[in-house]
Coordinates of all heavy atoms in Angstrom, one line a residue:
M234 N -44.8 18.5 14.0 CA -45.8 18.0 13.0 C -46.1 16.5 13.4 O -45.2 15.7 13.5 CB -45.2 18.0 11.6 CG -46.1 17.5 10.6 SD -45.5 17.9 9.0 CE -44.8 16.4 8.4
S235 N -47.4 16.2 13.7 CA -47.7 14.9 14.0 C -48.2 14.1 12.8 O -48.8 14.7 11.9 CB -48.8 14.9 15.1 OG -50.0 15.5 14.5
G236 N -47.9 12.9 12.7 CA -48.2 12.1 11.6 C -47.5 10.8 11.6 O -46.7 10.5 12.5
H237 N -47.7 10.0 10.6 CA -47.0 8.7 10.5 C -45.6 8.9 10.0 O -45.4 9.7 9.1 CB -47.8 7.7 9.6 CG -49.2 7.4 10.2 ND1 -49.4 6.6 11.3 CD2 -50.4 7.9 9.8 CE1 -50.7 6.6 11.5 NE2 -51.3 7.3 10.6
R238 N -44.7 8.1 10.5 CA -43.3 8.1 10.0 C -43.2 7.2 8.9 O -43.7 6.1 8.9 CB -42.4 7.8 11.1 CG -42.2 8.8 12.2 CD -41.1 8.4 13.1 NE -40.8 9.6 13.9 CZ -39.6 9.8 14.4 NH1 -38.6 8.9 14.2 NH2 -39.3 10.9 15.1
T239 N -42.5 7.6 7.9 CA -42.2 6.6 6.8 C -41.0 5.8 7.2 O -40.3 6.0 8.2 CB -41.9 7.4 5.5 OG1 -40.7 8.2 5.7 CG2 -43.0 8.3 5.1
T240 N -40.7 4.8 6.4 CA -39.6 3.9 6.7 C -38.3 4.6 6.7 O -37.5 4.3 7.6 CB -39.6 2.7 5.6 OG1 -40.9 2.1 5.6 CG2 -38.5 1.7 6.0
S241 N -38.1 5.5 5.8 CA -36.8 6.2 5.8 C -36.6 7.1 7.0 O -35.5 7.3 7.5 CB -36.7 7.1 4.5 OG -37.7 8.1 4.5
E242 N -37.7 7.7 7.6 CA -37.6 8.5 8.8 C -37.3 7.6 10.0 O -36.7 8.0 11.0 CB -38.8 9.3 9.0 CG -38.9 10.4 8.0 CD -40.2 11.2 8.1 OE1 -41.2 10.7 8.8 OE2 -40.4 12.2 7.5
A243 N -37.9 6.4 10.0 CA -37.8 5.5 11.2 C -36.4 4.9 11.3 O -35.9 4.7 12.3 CB -38.9 4.4 11.1
H244 N -35.8 4.6 10.1 CA -34.5 4.0 10.1 C -33.6 4.7 9.1 O -33.4 4.2 8.0 CB -34.6 2.5 9.6 CG -35.5 1.7 10.5 ND1 -35.1 1.3 11.8 CD2 -36.7 1.2 10.3 CE1 -36.1 0.6 12.3 NE2 -37.1 0.5 11.5
P245 N -33.1 5.9 9.5 CA -32.3 6.7 8.5 C -31.0 6.0 8.1 O -30.5 6.2 7.0 CB -32.1 8.0 9.3 CG -32.2 7.7 10.7 CD -33.2 6.5 10.8
S246 N -30.4 5.2 9.0 CA -29.1 4.6 8.6 C -29.2 3.6 7.5 O -28.3 3.3 6.8 CB -28.4 4.0 9.9 OG -29.2 3.0 10.4
A247 N -30.4 2.9 7.5 CA -30.6 1.8 6.5 C -30.6 2.5 5.1 O -30.1 1.9 4.1 CB -31.9 1.1 6.7
D248 N -31.3 3.6 5.0 CA -31.4 4.3 3.7 C -30.1 5.0 3.3 O -29.8 5.2 2.1 CB -32.5 5.3 3.7 CG -33.9 4.6 3.7 OD1 -33.9 3.4 3.2 OD2 -34.8 5.1 4.1
T249 N -29.3 5.4 4.3 CA -28.0 6.1 4.0 C -27.1 5.2 3.2 O -26.5 5.7 2.2 CB -27.4 6.5 5.3 OG1 -28.3 7.3 6.0 CG2 -26.1 7.3 5.0
A250 N -26.9 4.0 3.5 CA -26.0 3.1 2.8 C -26.5 2.9 1.4 O -25.8 2.9 0.4 CB -25.9 1.8 3.5
T251 N -27.8 2.7 1.2 CA -28.4 2.6 -0.1 C -28.2 3.8 -1.0 O -27.9 3.7 -2.2 CB -29.9 2.2 0.0 OG1 -30.1 1.1 0.8 CG2 -30.5 2.0 -1.4
D252 N -28.4 5.0 -0.4 CA -28.2 6.2 -1.1 C -26.7 6.4 -1.5 O -26.4 6.8 -2.6 CB -28.6 7.4 -0.2 CG -30.1 7.5 -0.1 OD1 -30.8 6.9 -0.9 OD2 -30.5 8.2 0.9
V253 N -25.8 6.0 -0.7 CA -24.4 6.1 -1.0 C -24.1 5.2 -2.2 O -23.4 5.6 -3.1 CB -23.5 5.7 0.2 CG1 -22.0 5.5 -0.2 CG2 -23.6 6.8 1.3
V254 N -24.6 4.0 -2.2 CA -24.3 3.1 -3.3 C -25.0 3.6 -4.6 O -24.4 3.5 -5.7 CB -24.9 1.6 -2.9 CG1 -24.8 0.7 -4.1 CG2 -24.0 1.1 -1.8
R255 N -26.2 4.2 -4.5 CA -26.8 4.7 -5.7 C -26.0 5.9 -6.3 O -25.8 5.9 -7.5 CB -28.2 5.2 -5.3 CG -29.2 4.1 -5.2 CD -30.6 4.7 -4.9 NE -31.5 3.6 -4.6 CZ -32.7 3.7 -4.1 NH1 -33.1 4.9 -3.7 NH2 -33.4 2.7 -3.9
W256 N -25.5 6.7 -5.4 CA -24.7 7.8 -5.9 C -23.4 7.3 -6.6 O -22.9 7.8 -7.5 CB -24.4 8.8 -4.8 CG -25.5 9.8 -4.6 CD1 -26.3 9.8 -3.6 CD2 -25.9 10.9 -5.5 NE1 -27.3 10.8 -3.8 CE2 -27.0 11.5 -5.0 CE3 -25.4 11.3 -6.8 CZ2 -27.6 12.6 -5.6 CZ3 -26.1 12.4 -7.3 CH2 -27.2 13.0 -6.8
A257 N -22.8 6.3 -6.0 CA -21.6 5.7 -6.5 C -21.8 5.1 -7.9 O -21.0 5.2 -8.8 CB -21.0 4.7 -5.5
V258 N -22.9 4.4 -8.0 CA -23.3 3.8 -9.3 C -23.5 4.9 -10.4 O -23.0 4.8 -11.5 CB -24.5 2.9 -9.2 CG1 -25.0 2.5 -10.6 CG2 -24.1 1.6 -8.4
F259 N -24.2 6.0 -9.9 CA -24.4 7.1 -10.8 C -23.0 7.7 -11.3 O -22.8 8.0 -12.5 CB -25.2 8.2 -10.1 CG -25.4 9.5 -10.9 CD1 -26.2 9.5 -12.0 CD2 -24.7 10.6 -10.5 CE1 -26.4 10.7 -12.7 CE2 -24.9 11.8 -11.2 CZ -25.7 11.8 -12.3
S260 N -22.1 7.8 -10.4 CA -20.8 8.4 -10.8 C -20.0 7.4 -11.7 O -19.2 7.8 -12.5 CB -20.0 8.7 -9.5 OG -19.5 7.5 -8.9
C261 N -20.2 6.1 -11.5 CA -19.6 5.1 -12.4 C -20.0 5.3 -13.8 O -19.3 4.9 -14.7 CB -19.9 3.7 -11.9 SG -19.1 3.2 -10.4
V262 N -21.2 5.8 -14.0 CA -21.7 6.1 -15.4 C -21.3 7.5 -15.8 O -20.9 7.7 -17.0 CB -23.3 5.9 -15.4 CG1 -23.8 6.3 -16.7 CG2 -23.6 4.4 -15.1
L263 N -21.5 8.4 -14.9 CA -21.3 9.8 -15.3 C -19.8 10.2 -15.6 O -19.5 10.8 -16.6 CB -21.8 10.7 -14.2 CG -21.7 12.2 -14.5 CD1 -22.6 12.6 -15.7 CD2 -22.1 13.0 -13.3
V264 N -18.9 9.7 -14.8 CA -17.5 10.1 -14.9 C -16.9 9.7 -16.3 O -16.3 10.5 -17.0 CB -16.7 9.6 -13.7 CG1 -15.2 9.7 -14.0 CG2 -17.0 10.3 -12.5
P265 N -17.1 8.4 -16.7 CA -16.6 8.0 -18.0 C -17.2 8.8 -19.2 O -16.5 9.2 -20.1 CB -16.9 6.5 -18.1 CG -17.1 6.1 -16.8 CD -17.6 7.2 -16.0
L266 N -18.5 9.2 -19.0 CA -19.2 10.0 -20.1 C -18.5 11.4 -20.2 O -18.3 11.9 -21.3 CB -20.6 10.1 -19.8 CG -21.5 8.8 -20.0 CD1 -22.9 9.1 -19.6 CD2 -21.4 8.4 -21.5
V267 N -18.2 11.9 -19.0 CA -17.6 13.3 -19.0 C -16.2 13.2 -19.6 O -15.7 14.0 -20.3 CB -17.6 13.8 -17.5 CG1 -16.7 15.1 -17.4 CG2 -19.0 14.1 -17.1
L268 N -15.5 12.1 -19.2 CA -14.1 11.9 -19.8 C -14.2 11.8 -21.3 O -13.3 12.3 -22.0 CB -13.5 10.7 -19.1 CG -13.1 10.8 -17.7 CD1 -12.6 9.5 -17.1 CD2 -12.0 11.9 -17.5
L269 N -15.1 11.0 -21.8 CA -15.3 10.9 -23.3 C -15.6 12.3 -23.9 O -15.1 12.6 -24.9 CB -16.3 9.9 -23.6 CG -16.0 8.4 -23.4 CD1 -17.2 7.5 -23.6 CD2 -14.8 8.1 -24.4
W270 N -16.5 13.0 -23.2 CA -16.9 14.4 -23.7 C -15.6 15.3 -23.8 O -15.6 16.1 -24.8 CB -17.9 15.0 -22.8 CG -18.4 16.3 -23.2 CD1 -17.9 17.5 -22.8 CD2 -19.4 16.6 -24.1 NE1 -18.6 18.5 -23.4 CE2 -19.5 18.0 -24.2 CE3 -20.3 15.8 -24.8 CZ2 -20.5 18.6 -25.0 CZ3 -21.2 16.4 -25.6 CH2 -21.3 17.8 -25.7
Y271 N -14.7 15.2 -22.9 CA -13.5 16.0 -22.9 C -12.4 15.4 -23.7 O -11.3 15.9 -23.6 CB -13.1 16.4 -21.5 CG -14.0 17.5 -20.9 CD1 -15.0 17.2 -20.0 CD2 -13.8 18.8 -21.3 CE1 -15.8 18.1 -19.5 CE2 -14.7 19.8 -20.8 CZ -15.6 19.5 -19.9 OH -16.4 20.4 -19.3
G272 N -12.6 14.3 -24.4 CA -11.6 13.9 -25.3 C -10.7 12.7 -24.9 O -9.7 12.4 -25.5
T273 N -11.0 12.1 -23.7 CA -10.2 11.0 -23.3 C -10.6 9.8 -24.2 O -11.6 9.7 -24.7 CB -10.6 10.6 -21.8 OG1 -10.4 11.8 -21.0 CG2 -9.8 9.5 -21.3
S274 N -9.6 8.9 -24.4 CA -9.8 7.7 -25.2 C -10.9 6.8 -24.7 O -11.2 6.8 -23.5 CB -8.5 7.0 -25.4 OG -8.1 6.4 -24.2
L275 N -11.5 6.0 -25.5 CA -12.5 5.1 -25.1 C -11.9 4.0 -24.1 O -12.5 3.7 -23.1 CB -13.1 4.3 -26.3 CG -14.2 3.3 -26.0 CD1 -15.4 4.0 -25.3 CD2 -14.6 2.6 -27.2
A276 N -10.6 3.6 -24.3 CA -10.0 2.7 -23.4 C -9.7 3.3 -22.0 O -9.9 2.7 -21.0 CB -8.6 2.2 -24.0
G277 N -9.4 4.6 -22.0 CA -9.2 5.3 -20.7 C -10.5 5.4 -20.0 O -10.5 5.2 -18.7
A278 N -11.5 5.8 -20.7 CA -12.8 5.9 -20.0 C -13.4 4.6 -19.5 O -13.9 4.5 -18.4 CB -13.8 6.6 -21.0
T279 N -13.1 3.5 -20.3 CA -13.5 2.2 -19.9 C -12.8 1.7 -18.7 O -13.3 1.2 -17.7 CB -13.3 1.2 -21.0 OG1 -14.1 1.6 -22.2 CG2 -13.8 -0.2 -20.7
G280 N -11.5 2.0 -18.7 CA -10.6 1.6 -17.5 C -11.1 2.4 -16.2 O -11.1 1.8 -15.2
T281 N -11.4 3.6 -16.4 CA -11.9 4.4 -15.3 C -13.2 3.9 -14.8 O -13.5 3.8 -13.6 CB -12.1 5.9 -15.7 OG1 -10.8 6.4 -16.1 CG2 -12.6 6.7 -14.6
A282 N -14.1 3.5 -15.7 CA -15.4 3.0 -15.3 C -15.2 1.6 -14.6 O -15.9 1.4 -13.5 CB -16.3 2.7 -16.5
L283 N -14.3 0.8 -15.0 CA -14.1 -0.5 -14.3 C -13.5 -0.3 -13.0 O -13.9 -0.9 -12.0 CB -13.2 -1.4 -15.2 CG -13.8 -1.9 -16.5 CD1 -12.8 -2.7 -17.3 CD2 -15.0 -2.8 -16.1
G284 N -12.6 0.7 -12.8 CA -12.0 1.0 -11.6 C -13.0 1.5 -10.6 O -13.0 1.1 -9.4
L285 N -13.9 2.4 -11.0 CA -14.9 3.0 -10.2 C -15.9 1.9 -9.8 O -16.4 1.9 -8.6 CB -15.6 4.1 -10.9 CG -14.9 5.4 -11.0 CD1 -15.6 6.4 -11.8 CD2 -14.7 6.0 -9.6
A286 N -16.2 1.0 -10.7 CA -17.1 -0.1 -10.4 C -16.5 -1.0 -9.3 O -17.2 -1.5 -8.4 CB -17.5 -0.9 -11.6
A287 N -15.2 -1.3 -9.4 CA -14.6 -2.2 -8.4 C -14.6 -1.5 -7.0 O -14.9 -2.2 -6.0 CB -13.2 -2.5 -8.9
V288 N -14.3 -0.2 -7.0 CA -14.3 0.5 -5.7 C -15.7 0.6 -5.1 O -15.9 0.4 -3.9 CB -13.7 1.9 -5.9 CG1 -13.9 2.8 -4.6 CG2 -12.2 1.8 -6.2
T289 N -16.7 0.8 -6.0 CA -18.1 0.8 -5.5 C -18.5 -0.5 -5.0 O -19.2 -0.6 -3.9 CB -19.0 1.2 -6.7 OG1 -18.6 2.5 -7.2 CG2 -20.5 1.2 -6.3
A290 N -18.1 -1.6 -5.6 CA -18.5 -2.9 -5.2 C -17.9 -3.2 -3.8 O -18.5 -3.8 -2.9 CB -18.1 -4.0 -6.2
A291 N -16.6 -2.9 -3.7 CA -15.9 -3.1 -2.4 C -16.5 -2.3 -1.3 O -16.7 -2.8 -0.1 CB -14.4 -2.7 -2.5
C292 N -16.9 -1.0 -1.5 CA -17.5 -0.2 -0.5 C -18.9 -0.7 -0.2 O -19.3 -0.7 1.0 CB -17.6 1.3 -1.0 SG -16.0 2.1 -1.1
R293 N -19.6 -1.2 -1.1 CA -21.0 -1.8 -0.9 C -20.8 -3.0 0.1 O -21.6 -3.1 1.0 CB -21.6 -2.2 -2.2 CG -23.0 -2.7 -2.0 CD -23.7 -3.1 -3.3 NE -25.0 -3.5 -3.1 CZ -25.4 -4.8 -2.9 NH1 -24.5 -5.7 -2.8 NH2 -26.6 -5.1 -2.7
V294 N -19.9 -3.9 -0.2 CA -19.7 -5.0 0.7 C -19.3 -4.6 2.1 O -19.9 -5.1 3.1 CB -18.5 -5.9 0.1 CG1 -18.1 -7.0 1.1 CG2 -19.0 -6.6 -1.2
L295 N -18.4 -3.6 2.2 CA -18.1 -3.1 3.5 C -19.2 -2.4 4.3 O -19.4 -2.6 5.5 CB -16.9 -2.1 3.4 CG -15.5 -2.8 3.0 CD1 -14.5 -1.7 2.8 CD2 -15.1 -3.8 4.0
L296 N -20.0 -1.7 3.5 CA -21.2 -1.0 4.2 C -22.2 -2.1 4.7 O -22.7 -2.0 5.8 CB -21.9 -0.1 3.2 CG -21.3 1.3 3.0 CD1 -21.9 2.0 1.8 CD2 -21.5 2.1 4.2
R297 N -22.5 -3.1 3.9 CA -23.4 -4.2 4.3 C -22.9 -4.9 5.5 O -23.6 -5.2 6.4 CB -23.7 -5.1 3.2 CG -24.3 -4.5 1.9 CD -25.6 -3.9 2.2 NE -26.2 -3.3 1.0 CZ -26.9 -2.3 1.0 NH1 -27.3 -1.7 2.2 NH2 -27.4 -1.7 -0.1
R298 N -21.6 -5.2 5.5 CA -21.0 -5.9 6.7 C -21.1 -5.0 7.9 O -21.4 -5.5 9.0 CB -19.5 -6.2 6.4 CG -18.8 -7.0 7.5 CD -17.4 -7.3 7.2 NE -17.2 -8.1 6.1 CZ -16.1 -8.4 5.5 NH1 -15.0 -8.0 6.1 NH2 -16.0 -9.2 4.5
S299 N -20.9 -3.7 7.7 CA -21.0 -2.8 8.9 C -22.4 -2.7 9.4 O -22.6 -2.7 10.6 CB -20.5 -1.4 8.4 OG -20.7 -0.5 9.5
E300 N -23.4 -2.7 8.5 CA -24.8 -2.7 8.9 C -25.1 -4.0 9.7 O -25.8 -3.9 10.7 CB -25.7 -2.6 7.7 CG -25.7 -1.2 7.1 CD -26.6 -1.2 5.8 OE1 -26.8 -2.2 5.2 OE2 -27.0 -0.1 5.4
R301 N -24.7 -5.1 9.2 CA -25.0 -6.4 9.9 C -24.3 -6.4 11.3 O -24.9 -6.8 12.3 CB -24.5 -7.6 9.1 CG -25.4 -7.9 7.9 CD -25.1 -9.2 7.3 NE -23.7 -9.4 6.9 CZ -23.2 -9.2 5.7 NH1 -24.0 -8.8 4.7 NH2 -21.9 -9.4 5.5
G302 N -23.1 -5.9 11.4 CA -22.4 -5.8 12.7 C -23.1 -4.9 13.6 O -23.3 -5.2 14.8
T303 N -23.6 -3.8 13.1 CA -24.3 -2.8 14.0 C -25.6 -3.4 14.5 O -26.0 -3.2 15.6 CB -24.5 -1.5 13.2 OG1 -23.3 -1.0 12.8 CG2 -25.3 -0.5 14.1
A304 N -26.3 -4.0 13.6 CA -27.6 -4.7 13.9 C -27.4 -5.7 15.0 O -28.1 -5.9 15.9 CB -28.3 -5.2 12.7
R305 N -26.3 -6.5 14.8 CA -26.0 -7.6 15.8 C -25.7 -7.0 17.2 O -26.1 -7.4 18.2 CB -24.9 -8.4 15.3 CG -24.6 -9.7 16.2 CD -23.6 -10.6 15.6 NE -22.4 -10.0 15.0 CZ -22.1 -10.0 13.7 NH1 -22.9 -10.7 12.8 NH2 -21.0 -9.4 13.2
L306 N -24.9 -5.9 17.2 CA -24.5 -5.2 18.5 C -25.7 -4.6 19.1 O -25.9 -4.7 20.3 CB -23.5 -4.1 18.2 CG -22.1 -4.6 18.0 CD1 -21.2 -3.4 17.7 CD2 -21.5 -5.4 19.2
L307 N -26.6 -4.0 18.4 CA -27.8 -3.4 18.9 C -28.7 -4.5 19.5 O -29.4 -4.3 20.5 CB -28.6 -2.6 17.9 CG -27.9 -1.3 17.5 CD1 -28.7 -0.6 16.4 CD2 -27.8 -0.4 18.7
A308 N -28.8 -5.7 18.8 CA -29.6 -6.8 19.4 C -29.0 -7.3 20.7 O -29.8 -7.7 21.6 CB -29.7 -7.9 18.3
E309 N -27.7 -7.3 20.8 CA -27.1 -7.8 22.0 C -27.2 -6.8 23.2 O -27.4 -7.2 24.3 CB -25.6 -8.1 21.8 CG -25.4 -9.3 20.9 CD -23.9 -9.5 20.6 OE1 -23.1 -8.7 21.0 OE2 -23.6 -10.4 19.9
E310 N -27.2 -5.5 22.9 CA -27.3 -4.5 23.9 C -28.7 -4.4 24.5 O -28.9 -4.1 25.7 CB -27.0 -3.1 23.3 CG -25.5 -2.9 23.1 CD -25.2 -1.5 22.6 OE1 -26.1 -0.7 22.5 OE2 -24.1 -1.3 22.3
H311 N -29.8 -4.6 23.7 CA -31.1 -4.5 24.1 C -31.8 -5.8 24.2 O -32.4 -6.3 23.3 CB -31.9 -3.6 23.2 CG -31.3 -2.2 23.0 ND1 -31.3 -1.3 24.1 CD2 -30.7 -1.6 22.0 CE1 -30.7 -0.2 23.7 NE2 -30.3 -0.3 22.4
P312 N -31.7 -6.5 25.4 CA -32.4 -7.8 25.6 C -33.9 -7.6 25.4 O -34.4 -6.5 25.7 CB -32.0 -8.2 27.0 CG -31.6 -7.0 27.7 CD -31.1 -6.0 26.6
P313 N -34.6 -8.6 25.1 CA -36.1 -8.5 24.9 C -36.7 -8.1 26.3 O -36.3 -8.5 27.3 CB -36.5 -9.9 24.5 CG -35.4 -10.8 24.7 CD -34.1 -9.9 24.8
H314 N -37.8 -7.4 26.2 CA -38.5 -7.0 27.4 C -39.2 -8.2 28.0 O -39.9 -8.9 27.4 CB -39.6 -5.9 27.0 CG -40.3 -5.4 28.2 ND1 -39.7 -4.6 29.1 CD2 -41.6 -5.4 28.5 CE1 -40.6 -4.2 30.1 NE2 -41.8 -4.8 29.7
R315 N -39.0 -8.3 29.3 CA -39.5 -9.5 30.0 C -40.9 -9.4 30.6 O -41.5 -10.3 31.1 CB -38.5 -9.9 31.2 CG -37.2 -10.3 30.6 CD -36.2 -10.6 31.7 NE -36.7 -11.7 32.5 CZ -36.1 -12.2 33.5 NH1 -35.0 -11.7 34.0 NH2 -36.6 -13.3 34.1
G316 N -41.5 -8.2 30.5 CA -42.8 -8.0 31.0 C -42.8 -7.5 32.4 O -41.8 -7.3 33.1
H317 N -44.0 -7.2 32.9 CA -44.2 -6.5 34.2 C -43.9 -7.5 35.4 O -43.4 -7.1 36.4 CB -45.7 -6.0 34.3 CG -46.0 -5.4 35.6 ND1 -45.5 -4.2 36.0 CD2 -46.8 -5.8 36.6 CE1 -45.9 -3.9 37.2 NE2 -46.7 -4.9 37.6
R318 N -44.3 -8.7 35.3 CA -44.2 -9.6 36.4 C -42.8 -10.2 36.6 O -42.5 -10.8 37.6 CB -45.2 -10.8 36.3 CG -46.6 -10.3 36.4 CD -47.5 -11.4 36.4 NE -48.9 -10.9 36.5 CZ -49.6 -10.9 37.6 NH1 -49.1 -11.3 38.7 NH2 -50.8 -10.4 37.6
H319 N -42.0 -10.1 35.6 CA -40.6 -10.7 35.6 C -39.6 -9.6 35.9 O -39.1 -8.9 35.0 CB -40.3 -11.4 34.3 CG -41.1 -12.6 34.1 ND1 -42.3 -12.4 33.4 CD2 -41.0 -13.9 34.4 CE1 -42.9 -13.6 33.3 NE2 -42.1 -14.5 33.9
R320 N -39.4 -9.3 37.2 CA -38.5 -8.3 37.5 C -37.1 -8.8 37.7 O -36.8 -10.0 37.7 CB -39.0 -7.6 38.8 CG -40.3 -7.0 38.6 CD -40.7 -6.1 39.8 NE -42.0 -5.6 39.7 CZ -42.2 -4.4 39.4 NH1 -41.3 -3.5 39.2 NH2 -43.5 -3.9 39.3
A321 N -36.2 -7.9 38.0 CA -34.8 -8.2 38.2 C -34.7 -9.1 39.4 O -35.6 -9.3 40.2 CB -33.9 -7.0 38.3
G322 N -33.5 -9.6 39.7 CA -33.2 -10.5 40.8 C -33.6 -10.0 42.2 O -34.1 -8.9 42.3
A323 N -33.3 -10.7 43.2 CA -33.6 -10.4 44.6 C -32.9 -9.1 45.0 O -31.8 -8.8 44.5 CB -33.2 -11.5 45.5
G324 N -33.6 -8.3 45.8 CA -33.1 -7.1 46.2 C -33.4 -5.9 45.3 O -33.0 -4.8 45.6
A325 N -34.2 -6.1 44.3 CA -34.5 -5.1 43.4 C -35.8 -4.4 43.7 O -36.3 -3.6 43.0 CB -34.6 -5.6 42.0
H326 N -36.5 -4.8 44.8 CA -37.7 -4.2 45.2 C -37.6 -2.8 45.7 O -36.6 -2.5 46.4 CB -38.4 -5.1 46.3 CG -38.7 -6.5 45.8 ND1 -39.7 -6.8 44.9 CD2 -38.1 -7.7 46.0 CE1 -39.7 -8.1 44.7 NE2 -38.7 -8.6 45.3
R327 N -38.6 -2.0 45.5 CA -38.5 -0.6 46.0 C -39.2 -0.5 47.3 O -40.1 -1.3 47.6 CB -39.2 0.3 45.0 CG -38.5 0.4 43.7 CD -39.1 1.4 42.8 NE -38.5 1.3 41.5 CZ -38.9 2.0 40.5 NH1 -40.0 2.8 40.6 NH2 -38.3 2.0 39.3
G328 N -38.8 0.5 48.1 CA -39.4 0.8 49.3 C -39.1 -0.3 50.4 O -38.2 -1.1 50.3
G329 N -39.8 -0.2 51.5 CA -39.6 -1.2 52.6 C -38.4 -0.7 53.5 O -37.8 0.3 53.3
R330 N -38.1 -1.6 54.5 CA -37.0 -1.2 55.4 C -35.7 -1.9 54.9 O -35.7 -3.0 54.4 CB -37.3 -1.7 56.8 CG -38.7 -1.1 57.3 CD -38.9 -1.5 58.7 NE -38.5 -0.3 59.4 CZ -38.4 -0.2 60.7 NH1 -38.5 -1.3 61.4 NH2 -38.1 0.9 61.3
H331 N -34.7 -1.2 55.1 CA -33.4 -1.7 54.7 C -32.5 -1.8 55.9 O -32.3 -0.8 56.6 CB -32.7 -0.7 53.7 CG -33.5 -0.5 52.4 ND1 -33.6 -1.5 51.5 CD2 -34.3 0.5 52.0 CE1 -34.4 -1.0 50.5 NE2 -34.8 0.2 50.8
A332 N -32.0 -3.0 56.1 CA -31.1 -3.2 57.3 C -29.7 -3.1 56.7 O -29.1 -4.0 56.2 CB -31.3 -4.5 57.9
G333 N -29.1 -2.0 56.8 CA -27.7 -1.8 56.4 C -27.5 -0.4 56.0 O -28.3 0.5 56.3
G334 N -26.4 -0.1 55.5 CA -26.0 1.2 55.1 C -25.6 2.0 56.3 O -25.0 1.5 57.3
S335 N -26.0 3.3 56.4 CA -25.5 4.2 57.5 C -26.5 4.3 58.6 O -26.2 5.1 59.5 CB -25.2 5.6 56.9 OG -26.4 6.1 56.3
T336 N -27.7 3.7 58.5 CA -28.6 3.8 59.6 C -28.4 2.8 60.7 O -28.2 1.6 60.3 CB -30.1 3.7 59.1 OG1 -30.2 2.5 58.5 CG2 -30.4 4.8 58.1
P337 N -28.4 3.1 62.0 CA -28.2 2.1 63.0 C -29.4 1.2 63.2 O -30.5 1.6 63.0 CB -28.0 3.0 64.3 CG -28.7 4.3 64.0 CD -28.6 4.5 62.5
V338 N -29.1 0.0 63.5 CA -30.2 -1.0 63.7 C -30.1 -1.4 65.2 O -29.1 -1.7 65.7 CB -30.0 -2.2 62.8 CG1 -31.0 -3.3 63.1 CG2 -30.0 -1.8 61.4
D339 N -31.3 -1.4 65.9 CA -31.3 -1.7 67.3 C -31.5 -3.2 67.5 O -32.0 -4.0 66.9 CB -32.5 -1.0 68.0 CG -32.2 0.5 68.1 OD1 -31.0 0.9 68.3 OD2 -33.1 1.3 67.9

């Protein structure tokens, strides 16, 4: 299918971390409500909510740090394109005669 790519299709890893955090926040709200529904005390549900929020915050920090590290590594691996006229160092030319290797030179 030809067409324009959306931001989420172009960079799926950027949206993955955001989706994980959204689901974690959703569970921070849902789990205590379910616990209250099944008869857990308010203090127990509050403690659970606080614990889940702390774990979610720590995971969010680690995900962001990982994203920054990955972006930095990718930037180091792919140097900027130097253009057509700026080629690699001497000896990188194609074709021509080569004096060396297994061919005899007179």
Side-chain angles (χ1 to χ4, degrees):
M234 176 166 107
S235 65
H237 297 287
R238 288 186 167 210
T239 62
T240 304
S241 63
E242 291 174 346
H244 303 288
S246 63
D248 289 334
T249 304
T251 303
D252 289 342
V253 168
V254 172
R255 284 182 184 164
W256 279 108
V258 169
F259 175 72
S260 71
C261 287
V262 174
L263 183 65
V264 169
L266 289 176
V267 170
L268 289 174
L269 286 173
W270 181 265
Y271 282 103
T273 304
S274 68
L275 183 60
T279 302
T281 301
L283 291 174
L285 286 172
V288 169
T289 300
C292 289
R293 182 177 183 272
V294 168
L295 292 173
L296 279 169
R297 299 298 178 213
R298 183 182 295 175
S299 173
E300 286 177 340
R301 284 192 306 263
T303 302
R305 186 171 45 243
L306 285 175
L307 288 175
E309 290 173 0
E310 283 181 6
H311 301 292
H314 184 65
R315 296 179 63 181
H317 177 70
R318 295 187 181 259
H319 297 87
R320 297 189 184 255
H326 299 285
R327 294 183 185 177
R330 304 188 102 192
H331 300 286
S335 62
T336 59
V338 176
D339 291 320

